Amino acid sequence: MSQILDLVGIFVFALSGALMGVRKRLDAVGMLVLAGMTALGGGVLRDLVLNVRPIAFQSLGYVLVPVAATVIVFFWHPHVARVMPAILVLDAAGLGLFCAVGTEKALEYGLNPLHATLLGVTTAVGGGMLRDVLAGEIPTLLYDRQLYAVPAMLGSGAMAALSAWGLHGWPATLAAAVLAFGLRVTAMRRNWRAPLARGVSE
């Protein structure tokens, strides 16, 4: 079940990467690169930090899902763009899932709660950061104007805290993921934004 949810999150992230490729007028190869980086980049970065073989290179599905998302966007990107609000909700679910799972894996490999939280955030937003850099955009992590990294931080922190309190397994993962998901969706609906430095206007 966890792998299915993981692949769903990868699929949604890959859609957003491929759509970025369309907006940047990239060819099919460029779209695939952005889709793959968005979907898999965070998990690969996490596993490299943990010094383990990235899970993306252990299962064929982790490679085929971004390819499938790219094909869908390549042929039907106007239709995909029209359902973007629904995709953003799924993206928020992927954000919550990845930050919780990333933190949990970091804890399993012996990282302390603070470092595990940071690695959970990396899992959730690392792919999007790589996508933005490749596409020539300001990374969301550095310009969190719609509360994207903040929900990941809170979800990862909650996962680390629950683990410290002796709560493990899917209930803890679900609780942390729901927290990040709920905050992200609320931020989108209410247009919450991270503050700028004092005296700096919008």
Side-chain angles (χ1 to χ4, degrees):
M1 183 63 177
S2 61
Q3 187 178 31
I4 293 175
L5 292 175
D6 208 19
L7 291 174
V8 170
I10 287 172
F11 178 74
V12 173
F13 280 7
L15 286 178
S16 70
L19 282 171
M20 173 72 80
V22 173
R23 290 197 294 272
K24 292 293 182 176
R25 301 181 63 82
L26 302 182
D27 60 20
V29 175
M31 291 172 59
L32 180 59
V33 169
L34 287 188
M37 284 294 181
T38 308
L40 305 175
V44 170
L45 289 173
R46 175 202 64 211
D47 291 343
L48 290 176
V49 170
L50 295 176
N51 198 29
V52 298
R53 187 172 66 173
I55 192 171
F57 296 98
Q58 299 182 40
S59 172
L60 188 60
Y62 285 81
V63 177
L64 294 180
V65 167
V67 173
T70 302
V71 170
I72 290 172
V73 173
F74 184 86
F75 287 104
W76 298 290
H77 60 87
H79 305 287
V80 176
R82 277 199 291 271
V83 297
M84 198 61 195
I87 291 175
L88 287 175
V89 173
L90 292 175
D91 181 86
L95 179 79
L97 176 67
F98 282 14
C99 74
V101 171
T103 304
E104 183 180 34
K105 186 169 183 178
L107 291 169
E108 290 174 354
Y109 276 82
L111 270 66
N112 64 48
L114 176 59
H115 289 150
T117 297
L118 294 175
L119 203 52
V121 174
T122 299
T123 306
V125 306
M129 183 176 65
L130 292 173
R131 174 202 64 208
D132 293 342
V133 168
L134 289 173
E137 298 284 333
I138 299 176
T140 303
L141 185 64
L142 304 179
Y143 192 68
D144 200 9
R145 304 304 292 135
Q146 291 185 331
L147 293 191
Y148 197 79
V150 170
M153 291 177 188
L154 293 178
S156 296
M159 186 70 215
L162 290 172
S163 178
W165 294 334
L167 299 174
H168 305 281
W170 69 265
T173 303
L174 180 62
V178 168
L179 173 63
F181 169 76
L183 180 56
R184 170 62 179 154
V185 170
T186 303
M188 288 191 298
R189 291 182 176 176
R190 299 191 178 184
N191 201 30
W192 288 348
R193 298 189 172 197
L196 296 174
R198 182 180 179 183
V200 177
S201 60
E202 291 285 349

